[in-house]
Structures are given as C-alpha cells and as structure tokens.
Amino acid sequence: MTDAVPAVFRQVPMPASAGPKDDEPGKGDTDTGTITKTRPKTKRPSLYRVLLLNDDYTPMEFVILVLQDVFNKSREDAMQIMLHVHQKGVGECGVYPYEVAETKVTRVMDTARKNQHPLQCVMEKQ
Ligand code: TYC
C-alpha cells in the first residue's frame, strides 16, 4: 500500500446496524447528535401594570378624561378607577407589554405636565 492515508484511517462504509446503539444499557452512551426537537420560537412578552397615583390637586374630572383617552376606558370605568385611586392612593389602569406601558405612562405624564397638574403615573413588572 503506497497511499498517503494509512489503511487504518481510511473510512469504510459501515451498515447502520454496526454503529453504536442508542438507549441500550451497557452499550455505552456515545451519541453526541444535536437535539432537533422543534419548539415555538415565540416568547410571551413580560407584562407591566400601569398605575395611577393619588394627589391632592389634580381635578377628578381631569383624571377621568385621561383614563378615557389614554387607557380607552368607558366613562363609568374611568370614574371607578379614579375613585379607587382617590380613596386608596394607587390604582391599576391596565396591564401591557413593556413598550405599550411605557407609552401610556409618557402620555399621562406629558398631558399632566402640560396642564400643570401633579398627577403621577408609573409602571411595574407584573
Ligand atoms: N385626589 C384628587 C382630588 O381630590 C383626585 C385624584 C384622583 C387625583 C386620582 C389623582 O390619580 C388621581 N381632586
């Protein structure tokens, strides 16, 4: 034999039945194959609660209008949420993915500032 590759390293086709046996005790665990089980790639986004904080100066009517405008609440739901915040000090306006929650907080803070009300709105991870 004058080949560059010595005979012991030459690849010889091998019947599948001659390969290592998977999952058989005592046969040795030699299979290093990639796991190919499919899995949905979608991740559910983390959700954030948007909260309104009470203060002594923001008019009730302004809070109701903000809840209708920014959080798409009915007049009745807006009234209930506003009264809850007024009485308890804090209340939930809604639960949203991060960027939606952030936009709503910004809208509330911007409109409060423009109208010179001290209304505060925050978000927290659910
Ligand atoms: N406490 C305010 C008042 O008596 C009303 C109010 C309600 C203010 C909710 C802020 O997030 C708030 N005028």
Side-chain angles (χ1 to χ4, degrees):
M1 208 49 94
T2 56
D3 288 346
V5 181
V8 287
F9 293 126
R10 264 186 231 127
Q11 297 211 328
V12 175
M14 198 195 287
S17 59
K21 307 262 192 309
D22 268 344
D23 306 320
E24 280 189 50
K27 297 285 183 185
D29 185 14
T30 58
D31 190 354
T32 56
T34 306
I35 296 167
T36 56
K37 184 167 188 279
T38 56
R39 188 161 31 102
K41 284 176 200 151
T42 52
K43 282 182 290 172
R44 283 169 303 166
S46 301
L47 294 176
Y48 291 77
R49 304 173 72 205
V50 175
L51 308 173
L52 219 45
L53 309 183
N54 189 38
D55 67 72
D56 292 339
Y57 305 104
T58 305
M60 290 183 171
E61 181 62 22
F62 182 81
V63 177
I64 293 168
L65 293 175
V66 165
L67 285 163
Q68 291 185 97
D69 187 41
V70 177
F71 299 96
N72 308 311
K73 301 298 183 187
S74 66
R75 176 94 193 162
E76 293 72 26
D77 286 353
M79 187 100 73
Q80 278 200 350
I81 294 167
M82 183 280 296
L83 282 175
H84 175 95
V85 176
H86 176 70
Q87 287 159 7
K88 311 275 183 186
V90 61
E92 185 181 290
C93 310
V95 178
Y96 310 95
Y98 186 88
E99 287 191 353
V100 178
E102 200 182 33
T103 301
K104 291 191 186 290
V105 169
T106 300
R107 283 182 66 190
V108 173
M109 297 300 285
D110 283 357
T111 190
R113 175 182 269 269
K114 256 187 220 151
N115 290 277
Q116 301 185 23
H117 298 311
L119 181 64
Q120 294 291 304
C121 184
V122 297
M123 57 194 271
E124 65 169 35
K125 201 163 195 279
Q126 210 184 24

PDB file of all heavy atoms in Angstrom, residues 19-31:
ATOM      1  N   GLY A  19     -23.273   0.475  13.935  1.00  0.00           N
ATOM      2  CA  GLY A  19     -22.958   1.682  14.723  1.00  0.00           C
ATOM      3  C   GLY A  19     -23.348   1.504  16.183  1.00  0.00           C
ATOM      4  O   GLY A  19     -23.896   0.464  16.564  1.00  0.00           O
ATOM      5  N   PRO A  20     -23.039   2.552  16.989  1.00  0.00           N
ATOM      6  CA  PRO A  20     -23.377   2.472  18.409  1.00  0.00           C
ATOM      7  C   PRO A  20     -24.892   2.426  18.580  1.00  0.00           C
ATOM      8  O   PRO A  20     -25.630   3.091  17.858  1.00  0.00           O
ATOM      9  CB  PRO A  20     -22.810   3.773  18.991  1.00  0.00           C
ATOM     10  CG  PRO A  20     -22.307   4.591  17.862  1.00  0.00           C
ATOM     11  CD  PRO A  20     -22.433   3.808  16.596  1.00  0.00           C
ATOM     12  N   LYS A  21     -25.347   1.654  19.535  1.00  0.00           N
ATOM     13  CA  LYS A  21     -26.786   1.528  19.787  1.00  0.00           C
ATOM     14  C   LYS A  21     -27.203   2.546  20.844  1.00  0.00           C
ATOM     15  O   LYS A  21     -26.592   2.613  21.902  1.00  0.00           O
ATOM     16  CB  LYS A  21     -27.116   0.119  20.305  1.00  0.00           C
ATOM     17  CG  LYS A  21     -26.595  -1.007  19.414  1.00  0.00           C
ATOM     18  CD  LYS A  21     -27.683  -1.526  18.514  1.00  0.00           C
ATOM     19  CE  LYS A  21     -27.312  -2.829  17.809  1.00  0.00           C
ATOM     20  NZ  LYS A  21     -26.020  -2.743  17.132  1.00  0.00           N
ATOM     21  N   ASP A  22     -28.217   3.355  20.463  1.00  0.00           N
ATOM     22  CA  ASP A  22     -28.740   4.354  21.397  1.00  0.00           C
ATOM     23  C   ASP A  22     -29.587   3.693  22.469  1.00  0.00           C
ATOM     24  O   ASP A  22     -30.271   2.702  22.209  1.00  0.00           O
ATOM     25  CB  ASP A  22     -29.611   5.353  20.630  1.00  0.00           C
ATOM     26  CG  ASP A  22     -28.756   6.537  20.188  1.00  0.00           C
ATOM     27  OD1 ASP A  22     -27.645   6.708  20.728  1.00  0.00           O
ATOM     28  OD2 ASP A  22     -29.197   7.273  19.303  1.00  0.00           O
ATOM     29  N   ASP A  23     -29.539   4.276  23.610  1.00  0.00           N
ATOM     30  CA  ASP A  23     -30.502   3.942  24.663  1.00  0.00           C
ATOM     31  C   ASP A  23     -30.495   2.492  25.082  1.00  0.00           C
ATOM     32  O   ASP A  23     -31.501   1.988  25.548  1.00  0.00           O
ATOM     33  CB  ASP A  23     -31.924   4.345  24.235  1.00  0.00           C
ATOM     34  CG  ASP A  23     -31.957   5.806  23.831  1.00  0.00           C
ATOM     35  OD1 ASP A  23     -31.293   6.610  24.515  1.00  0.00           O
ATOM     36  OD2 ASP A  23     -32.601   6.130  22.836  1.00  0.00           O
ATOM     37  N   GLU A  24     -29.408   1.819  24.860  1.00  0.00           N
ATOM     38  CA  GLU A  24     -29.336   0.442  25.356  1.00  0.00           C
ATOM     39  C   GLU A  24     -28.329   0.380  26.494  1.00  0.00           C
ATOM     40  O   GLU A  24     -27.171   0.729  26.305  1.00  0.00           O
ATOM     41  CB  GLU A  24     -28.872  -0.491  24.240  1.00  0.00           C
ATOM     42  CG  GLU A  24     -29.986  -0.867  23.267  1.00  0.00           C
ATOM     43  CD  GLU A  24     -29.551  -1.959  22.313  1.00  0.00           C
ATOM     44  OE1 GLU A  24     -29.028  -2.986  22.830  1.00  0.00           O
ATOM     45  OE2 GLU A  24     -29.709  -1.795  21.097  1.00  0.00           O
ATOM     46  N   PRO A  25     -28.792  -0.002  27.658  1.00  0.00           N
ATOM     47  CA  PRO A  25     -27.867  -0.052  28.793  1.00  0.00           C
ATOM     48  C   PRO A  25     -26.694  -0.982  28.468  1.00  0.00           C
ATOM     49  O   PRO A  25     -26.874  -2.019  27.827  1.00  0.00           O
ATOM     50  CB  PRO A  25     -28.714  -0.582  29.947  1.00  0.00           C
ATOM     51  CG  PRO A  25     -30.038  -0.969  29.373  1.00  0.00           C
ATOM     52  CD  PRO A  25     -30.120  -0.454  27.980  1.00  0.00           C
ATOM     53  N   GLY A  26     -25.525  -0.564  28.883  1.00  0.00           N
ATOM     54  CA  GLY A  26     -24.344  -1.407  28.705  1.00  0.00           C
ATOM     55  C   GLY A  26     -23.667  -1.259  27.358  1.00  0.00           C
ATOM     56  O   GLY A  26     -22.592  -1.787  27.148  1.00  0.00           O
ATOM     57  N   LYS A  27     -24.304  -0.528  26.425  1.00  0.00           N
ATOM     58  CA  LYS A  27     -23.704  -0.377  25.104  1.00  0.00           C
ATOM     59  C   LYS A  27     -22.818   0.865  25.035  1.00  0.00           C
ATOM     60  O   LYS A  27     -22.169   1.116  24.031  1.00  0.00           O
ATOM     61  CB  LYS A  27     -24.791  -0.258  24.019  1.00  0.00           C
ATOM     62  CG  LYS A  27     -25.638  -1.507  23.930  1.00  0.00           C
ATOM     63  CD  LYS A  27     -24.885  -2.629  23.237  1.00  0.00           C
ATOM     64  CE  LYS A  27     -25.795  -3.837  23.108  1.00  0.00           C
ATOM     65  NZ  LYS A  27     -25.121  -5.003  22.562  1.00  0.00           N
ATOM     66  N   GLY A  28     -22.857   1.694  26.099  1.00  0.00           N
ATOM     67  CA  GLY A  28     -22.053   2.908  26.095  1.00  0.00           C
ATOM     68  C   GLY A  28     -22.815   4.044  25.443  1.00  0.00           C
ATOM     69  O   GLY A  28     -23.447   3.855  24.413  1.00  0.00           O
ATOM     70  N   ASP A  29     -22.805   5.244  26.063  1.00  0.00           N
ATOM     71  CA  ASP A  29     -23.552   6.388  25.546  1.00  0.00           C
ATOM     72  C   ASP A  29     -22.602   7.234  24.712  1.00  0.00           C
ATOM     73  O   ASP A  29     -21.933   8.113  25.203  1.00  0.00           O
ATOM     74  CB  ASP A  29     -24.129   7.177  26.726  1.00  0.00           C
ATOM     75  CG  ASP A  29     -25.024   8.298  26.249  1.00  0.00           C
ATOM     76  OD1 ASP A  29     -25.393   8.300  25.057  1.00  0.00           O
ATOM     77  OD2 ASP A  29     -25.334   9.175  27.049  1.00  0.00           O
ATOM     78  N   THR A  30     -22.540   6.950  23.437  1.00  0.00           N
ATOM     79  CA  THR A  30     -21.553   7.616  22.577  1.00  0.00           C
ATOM     80  C   THR A  30     -22.186   8.599  21.600  1.00  0.00           C
ATOM     81  O   THR A  30     -21.485   9.291  20.895  1.00  0.00           O
ATOM     82  CB  THR A  30     -20.778   6.563  21.759  1.00  0.00           C
ATOM     83  OG1 THR A  30     -21.729   5.818  21.000  1.00  0.00           O
ATOM     84  CG2 THR A  30     -19.995   5.639  22.650  1.00  0.00           C
ATOM     85  N   ASP A  31     -23.519   8.689  21.573  1.00  0.00           N
ATOM     86  CA  ASP A  31     -24.185   9.554  20.597  1.00  0.00           C
ATOM     87  C   ASP A  31     -24.137  11.003  21.061  1.00  0.00           C
ATOM     88  O   ASP A  31     -24.622  11.347  22.117  1.00  0.00           O
ATOM     89  CB  ASP A  31     -25.650   9.092  20.436  1.00  0.00           C
ATOM     90  CG  ASP A  31     -26.311   9.798  19.274  1.00  0.00           C
ATOM     91  OD1 ASP A  31     -25.709  10.699  18.689  1.00  0.00           O
ATOM     92  OD2 ASP A  31     -27.453   9.434  18.967  1.00  0.00           O
TER      93      ASP A  31
END
